[in-house]
Amino acid sequence: MLFPLLSLLRLLCITSLATGQQDPRVKIAITTETPINAVSTTPEGRLFLPYARIDGSKGPTVVEWVNQTAVPFPDLEWNSYSASKDPATHLVRINSQRIGPDGQLWLVDVGSPAFGAPVILPIGPKLVVVNLTTNAVSRTYPLGTVVLSSSLLDDVRFNPAANLAYLTDAGVPALIVLDLHTGEARRFLENDISTAATFPISAEGCLLHDSNGNFQYIYADQLEVSPDAKWRYYQPASGQLYRIDTCYLNAAFHNSSLASILSQYREPFALTPSTGGTAIDAAGNIYVGDTDRQNIEIIASNGTRSVLLHDERLLWVDAMWVDSQQRLWMPAAQLNRGTPFNNGTSLVVKPLYVFTVDIGAGPSPVDHA
């Protein structure tokens, strides 16, 4: 009787997106029938989206949005993964994507064909780089050496001066650091209190459950890097934002003794709520999507919290994006209503939307071009 009871509780948690409170500053940028969990834009106006597919739909995992039409990117073949195809040369499942400070599109491939399914080791998990001039894959960073079968590669940020990329593992809690020159990667703070979740993820006032009816924990998930690249911020999806000085994290890459005591250098930064996604602007303000209250919070560079806006349509705003026109893009993905958290049934209300709001600040220079 557990699953019927959980399904009833989830239905009771669902509110109306159409009749709830709406902020007039929030504008609809994209209307879609498929959940979108991230946005990337170029200064020239190109727009890239990953499809979360938590509604049971099938099709490409990454698209370019052209004239209100989704075009598989970088091409249809890369987006055509099946069990009979090479996971090293196809996108198995993209959890996040973003344009980096180098102007290329970076795709985080978890290497698992479905949420909760084992990672295809060693060649499934990878970071794929697409040159936006040629629209072709320019490099692939295999990550099988730092990923476990139950890992969930979540997102990526950059430290251009150090030539490093930072990732999170939301399945087996850890931070990952990747040397962009050599392709070597290492795990840090594995199962540390700062990367592990002490409470299940919550949305619309309800704790989420996995396919077995157990509480759903999502470990080291969101991350940002301060505009001066001094701090790496990170947290589990259930909240509690930590930070660590990147000088220690970077040095630990080549110093195992330092790596073993790295927990001495991380510190609590802000008591954030259950979170779908984050973004950071040029002033170092971190934007946090509150999955319970449909708020967007701002965490200032000194750690103080304030509410930027509240809008009932902002249901599970995932990876946000600050563009060159000083707008914050907010993909309302409704992930908590998807099949992984509802015993295989999609409760997603369609259409879905990506929203924007003017924030009066541009992107961080180390975040993206």
Side-chain angles (χ1 to χ4, degrees):
M1 293 297 292
L2 177 61
F3 273 125
L5 177 60
L6 291 177
S7 296
L8 175 60
L9 290 173
R10 289 173 185 131
L11 286 171
L12 291 174
C13 285
I14 290 181
T15 58
S16 171
L17 298 182
T19 60
Q21 181 179 339
Q22 299 182 10
D23 189 312
R25 296 173 295 171
V26 175
K27 309 300 182 184
I28 297 175
I30 297 173
T31 303
T32 176
E33 293 296 311
T34 308
I36 293 168
N37 65 324
V39 178
S40 289
T41 66
T42 69
E44 297 77 28
R46 297 180 73 180
L47 176 60
F48 301 94
L49 312 166
Y51 283 144
R53 301 292 179 190
I54 47 84
D55 59 339
S57 62
K58 304 295 182 181
T61 186
V62 178
V63 301
E64 182 175 6
W65 195 252
V66 182
N67 297 324
Q68 306 301 310
T69 301
V71 179
F73 193 84
D75 56 38
L76 185 59
E77 182 59 31
W78 269 95
N79 279 273
S80 67
Y81 174 76
S82 66
S84 63
K85 293 191 175 183
D86 184 0
T89 57
H90 293 81
L91 304 178
V92 179
R93 183 165 62 92
I94 298 301
N95 195 55
S96 62
Q97 56 82 39
R98 65 188 303 104
I99 294 168
D102 60 353
Q104 299 190 94
L105 185 67
W106 296 70
L107 310 175
V108 179
D109 191 340
V110 300
S112 163
F115 188 90
V119 175
I120 302 169
L121 292 173
I123 58 176
K126 54 192 176 292
L127 189 59
V128 179
V129 190
V130 185
N131 184 307
L132 295 185
T133 300
T134 63
N135 295 325
V137 172
S138 58
R139 182 167 181 177
T140 298
Y141 292 92
L143 294 173
T145 59
V146 289
V147 168
L148 300 151
S149 64
S150 55
S151 285
L152 175 57
L153 284 174
D154 197 85
D155 213 339
V156 63
R157 297 295 187 273
F158 304 94
N159 188 332
N163 204 29
L164 297 173
Y166 302 135
L167 299 99
T168 45
D169 187 339
V172 182
L175 305 183
I176 296 173
V177 179
L178 169 67
D179 185 318
L180 294 175
H181 176 65
T182 65
E184 185 178 6
R186 290 197 169 89
R187 295 172 65 90
F188 298 101
L189 294 174
E190 184 166 289
N191 294 311
D192 184 72
I193 189 174
S194 65
T195 56
T198 59
F199 209 75
I201 183 70
S202 177
E204 294 186 90
C206 291
L207 298 177
L208 269 60
H209 296 78
D210 63 19
S211 58
N212 295 315
N214 300 315
F215 288 115
Q216 179 68 62
Y217 292 85
I218 301 178
Y219 305 117
D221 189 328
Q222 295 86 25
L223 76 157
E224 300 294 342
V225 177
S226 62
D228 59 3
K230 175 177 173 58
W231 297 104
R232 173 176 176 172
Y233 303 96
Y234 61 96
Q235 67 169 38
S238 53
Q240 299 184 354
L241 185 66
Y242 281 79
R243 71 178 184 178
I244 187 169
D245 193 319
T246 57
C247 72
Y248 298 113
L249 186 60
N250 299 351
F253 195 89
H254 298 291
N255 186 329
S256 59
S257 297
L258 177 57
S260 68
I261 60 169
L262 205 55
S263 61
Q264 297 179 18
Y265 299 100
R266 51 101 173 117
E267 61 185 31
F269 185 67
L271 187 58
T272 48
S274 277
T275 304
T278 59
I280 193 168
D281 68 22
N285 298 306
I286 299 174
Y287 300 83
V288 174
D290 184 334
T291 54
D292 272 321
R293 300 169 184 85
Q294 286 73 65
N295 290 341
I296 302 298
E297 287 195 4
I298 299 178
I299 314 298
S301 57
N302 63 2
T304 58
R305 295 168 56 192
S306 61
V307 175
L308 170 67
L309 58 88
H310 169 80
D311 191 308
E312 295 295 332
R313 297 171 296 175
L314 301 179
L315 179 55
W316 198 298
V317 169
D318 212 291
M320 291 178 276
W321 182 262
V322 178
D323 71 13
S324 57
Q325 298 181 49
Q326 302 187 341
R327 296 176 299 183
L328 181 68
W329 291 71
M330 302 169 290
Q334 301 186 39
L335 293 192
N336 60 302
R337 297 183 176 186
T339 57
F341 311 118
N342 296 285
N343 195 26
T345 299
S346 173
L347 304 178
V348 172
V349 177
K350 298 183 179 183
L352 298 98
Y353 302 98
V354 176
F355 301 96
T356 61
V357 65
D358 293 331
I359 56 173
S364 164
V366 303
D367 192 69
H368 60 266

